[in-house]
């Protein structure tokens, strides 16, 4: 009982339960690349349909980000996190049992609906249970959980699917999700006081924000040019990485190089390792030099170059593909600096909704880019299948990956605009802490 009655121990148990659900979120959202062969065969999909099936998760995920921020503030992480875990697990069960493309599409959208509330719930929980000087550490640990989920969505998932089949694997994940949701309900509370525990020294009270104040902040954000530029950056950076690791990175290797899915997953595993390492390292560098926009611009420029390897060479040596995938995961951390910039640009009362707004753009990117790549690939079908994967020409993949590289190149141009443009305040309520 000491674990539950001591607030310091209790918070780690509750965070662990929430983090377990978040691990599953990232595993589900990046699983389509490994499952692409089976999904193509079972549901007889075209590339555009597969891209849309993959994107259905991100579409609903993006739509609910801002409402979730309001809900977590008003209801608390216990109920929002529990509901999210249950909903995503029910969606996973439906996806595993799907007999048609439509059912699979709706089930994956349901997974996205449940998943979309978890990250915000974790941040809200940490704000009420950890000191201000611990919050960045907890955010970094939570990001590491996302990276771990991305790693599990590569080779480990491919091995599990090869051993017991994709449907049984997804059902197993659903069972874990339901158990984790139950743990969140038992352990998580809005604050130590809400759990009937003594307060934790130095942990601030987080006041609720009214709906009127939230609406006013959204109006300010809609008029803020810097917010739109940052949203383009995260749209391209987050969208490109999740498209590469979550969908088209594996079929490209299977078709163009003739490797099996498990072998191809080793390369996206490298990208996930880069994703695990890159964001905290780039964030640490940004903190050390006390600048956001310079490392963001440099990182995005390198990200665009890394993505250009495939459209430029078509079939480069596999070691170069490995380097490219790893660098894409590593350098995506540059796009994540957009979240820090917008948070610091606005006062504390608006930082949550400001971050949610830019975060929404990142998952709109993860919705749009896979489908656009699929539409492009459908123009270059060969009429053959390789290990159940529809085959497209090497030139088709060059065009499709060129779309990703072009999107990140546009984000790089936006970052240059932010870096070199004269800094000015568009509204009197915008904070100036971001000035460089």
């Amino acid at each position: 009982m000491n674990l539950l009655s001591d607030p310091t121990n209790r918070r780690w148990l509750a965070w662990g339960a929430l983090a377990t659900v978040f691990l599953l979120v990232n595993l589900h959202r990046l699983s389509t690349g490994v499952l692409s062969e089976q999904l193509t065969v079972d549901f007889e999909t075209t590339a555009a349909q597969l891209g849309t099936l993959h994107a259905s998760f991100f579409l609903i995920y993006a739509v609910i980000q801002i409402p979730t921020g309001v809900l977590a503030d008003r209801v608390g992480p216990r109920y929002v996190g529990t509901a999210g875990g249950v909903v995503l697990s029910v969606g996973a069960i439906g996806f595993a049992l799907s007999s048609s493309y439509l059912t699979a599409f709706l089930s994956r959208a349901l997974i996205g609906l449940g998943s979309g509330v978890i990250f915000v719930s974790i941040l809200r929980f940490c704000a009420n249970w950890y000191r201000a000087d611990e919050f960045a550490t907890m955010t970094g640990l939570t990001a590491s959980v996302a990276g771990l989920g991305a790693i599990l969505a590569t080779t480990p998932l491919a091995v599990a699917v090869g051993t017991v089949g994709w449907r049984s694997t997804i059902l197993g994940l659903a069972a874990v999700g339901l158990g984790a949701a139950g743990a969140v309900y038992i352990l998580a509370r809005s604050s130590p006081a809400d759990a009937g525990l003594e307060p934790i020294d130095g942990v601030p009270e987080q006041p609720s924000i009214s709906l009127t104040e939230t609406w006013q902040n959204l109006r300010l954000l809609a008029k803020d040019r810097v917010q739109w530029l940052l949203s383009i950056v995260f749209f391209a950076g987050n969208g490109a990485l999740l498209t590469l690791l979550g969908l088209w990175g594996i079929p490209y290797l299977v078709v163009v190089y003739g490797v099996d899915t498990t072998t191809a997953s080793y390369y996206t595993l490298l990208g996930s390792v880069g994703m695990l390492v890159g964001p905290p390292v780039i964030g640490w560098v940004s903190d050390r030099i006390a600048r956001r926009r310079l490392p963001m611009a440099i990182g995005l420029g390198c990200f665009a170059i890394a993505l250009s390897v495939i459209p430029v060479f078509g079939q480069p040596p596999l070691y170069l593909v490995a380097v490219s995938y790893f660098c894409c995961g590593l350098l995506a951390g540059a796009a994540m600096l957009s979240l820090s910039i917008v948070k610091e640009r606005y006062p504390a009362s608006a930082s949550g909704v400001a971050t949610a707004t830019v975060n929404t753009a990142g998952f709109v990117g993860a919705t749009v880019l896979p489908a656009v790549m699929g539409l492009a690939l459908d123009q270059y079908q060969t009429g053959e299948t390789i290990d159940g994967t529809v085959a497209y020409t090497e030139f088709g993949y060059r065009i499709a990956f060129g779309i990703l590289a072009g999107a990140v190149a546009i984000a790089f141009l936006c970052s240059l605009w932010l870096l070199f443009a004269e800094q000015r305040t568009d509204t009197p309520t915008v904070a100036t802490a971001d000035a460089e």
Side-chain angles (χ1 to χ4, degrees):
M1 290 297 294
N2 184 52
L3 286 175
L4 296 181
S5 60
D6 181 81
T8 302
N9 292 330
R10 175 69 172 269
R11 66 183 183 177
W12 283 108
L13 291 173
W15 178 85
L18 286 161
T20 300
V21 181
F22 191 53
L23 177 72
L24 294 171
V25 169
N26 289 277
L27 212 166
H28 279 298
R29 76 182 182 183
L30 294 176
S31 63
T32 321
V34 167
L35 302 179
S36 60
E37 288 184 21
Q38 290 85 355
L39 298 179
T40 299
V41 172
D42 285 8
F43 303 124
E44 299 179 345
T45 63
T46 64
Q49 287 175 324
L50 183 60
T52 303
L53 178 63
H54 172 77
S56 62
F57 174 102
F58 299 99
L59 176 61
I60 191 68
Y61 194 108
V63 167
I64 66 171
Q65 287 304 293
I66 295 174
T68 295
V70 177
L71 191 63
D73 284 342
R74 301 182 68 83
V75 178
R78 180 194 189 189
Y79 296 106
V80 178
T82 299
V86 170
V87 170
L88 78 86
S89 298
V90 171
I93 292 171
F95 187 58
L97 300 179
S98 294
S99 58
S100 68
Y101 175 82
L102 177 60
T103 306
F105 177 89
L106 294 176
S107 295
R108 185 162 167 82
L110 191 61
I111 297 173
L113 177 63
S115 298
V117 307
I118 302 302
F119 183 65
V120 174
S121 295
I122 295 176
L123 293 185
R124 183 61 177 173
F125 173 83
C126 291
N128 287 2
W129 284 80
Y130 291 87
R131 299 191 309 271
D133 60 355
E134 296 174 315
F135 188 78
T137 299
M138 297 309 301
T139 302
L141 285 175
T142 304
S144 295
V145 171
L148 180 58
I151 290 172
L152 292 177
T154 57
T155 305
L157 179 62
V159 171
V161 169
T163 302
V164 300
W166 77 269
R167 294 181 186 273
S168 295
T169 300
I170 298 300
L171 285 173
L173 294 177
V176 174
L178 289 172
V184 171
Y185 184 82
I186 293 170
L187 297 170
R189 296 293 187 275
S190 295
S191 65
D194 189 46
L197 303 176
E198 293 295 321
I200 300 173
D201 290 341
V203 175
E205 290 291 329
Q206 299 293 329
S208 297
I209 304 299
S210 69
L211 292 176
T212 300
E213 290 171 316
T214 299
W215 176 245
Q216 291 172 343
N217 291 333
L218 284 171
R219 292 179 64 186
L220 289 173
L221 283 157
K223 299 175 183 178
D224 184 8
R225 180 178 62 184
V226 169
Q227 177 274 129
W228 286 105
L229 292 170
L230 292 171
S231 291
I232 293 172
V233 166
F234 203 53
F235 171 97
N238 192 62
L241 179 66
L242 294 179
T243 300
L244 175 69
L245 301 185
L247 184 57
W248 294 117
I250 287 178
Y252 161 73
L253 291 165
V254 171
V255 172
V256 175
Y257 292 89
V259 302
D260 58 49
T261 299
T262 300
T263 301
S265 71
Y266 297 153
Y267 292 83
T268 52
L269 174 61
L270 286 173
S272 298
V273 171
M275 181 182 172
L276 181 67
V277 175
V281 169
I282 291 175
W284 178 83
V285 170
S286 174
D287 286 338
R288 286 297 296 266
I289 66 175
R291 300 195 69 178
R292 305 289 189 219
R293 303 180 187 207
L294 179 61
M296 182 174 74
I298 293 172
L300 286 170
C302 295
F303 189 4
I305 292 171
L307 272 174
S308 298
V309 167
I310 292 171
V312 170
F313 297 104
Q315 191 176 353
L318 278 171
Y319 77 85
L320 193 55
V321 176
V323 171
S324 172
Y325 280 25
F326 175 77
C327 288
C328 286
L330 189 76
L331 295 165
M336 296 186 74
L337 289 175
S338 59
L339 298 172
S340 297
I341 293 172
V342 78
K343 179 181 182 296
E344 294 169 0
R345 180 173 173 80
Y346 284 82
S349 61
S351 63
V353 71
T355 303
T357 300
V358 175
N359 195 45
T360 298
F363 289 95
V364 171
T367 303
V368 172
L369 292 177
V372 172
M373 282 187 71
L375 288 171
L377 283 169
D378 277 339
Q379 308 306 310
Y380 299 94
Q381 291 191 39
T382 65
E384 302 176 354
T385 59
I386 300 177
D387 291 334
T389 297
V390 177
Y392 306 95
T393 65
E394 176 189 305
F395 183 74
Y397 274 108
R398 294 177 75 171
I399 295 295
F401 276 85
I403 291 171
L404 286 190
V408 177
I410 291 172
F412 169 64
L413 294 177
C414 290
S415 71
L416 289 181
W417 186 319
L418 289 165
L419 181 61
F420 294 115
E422 179 180 357
Q423 302 301 300
R424 66 184 181 85
T425 301
D426 294 328
T427 64
T429 57
V430 173
T432 58
D434 182 49
E436 295 182 341

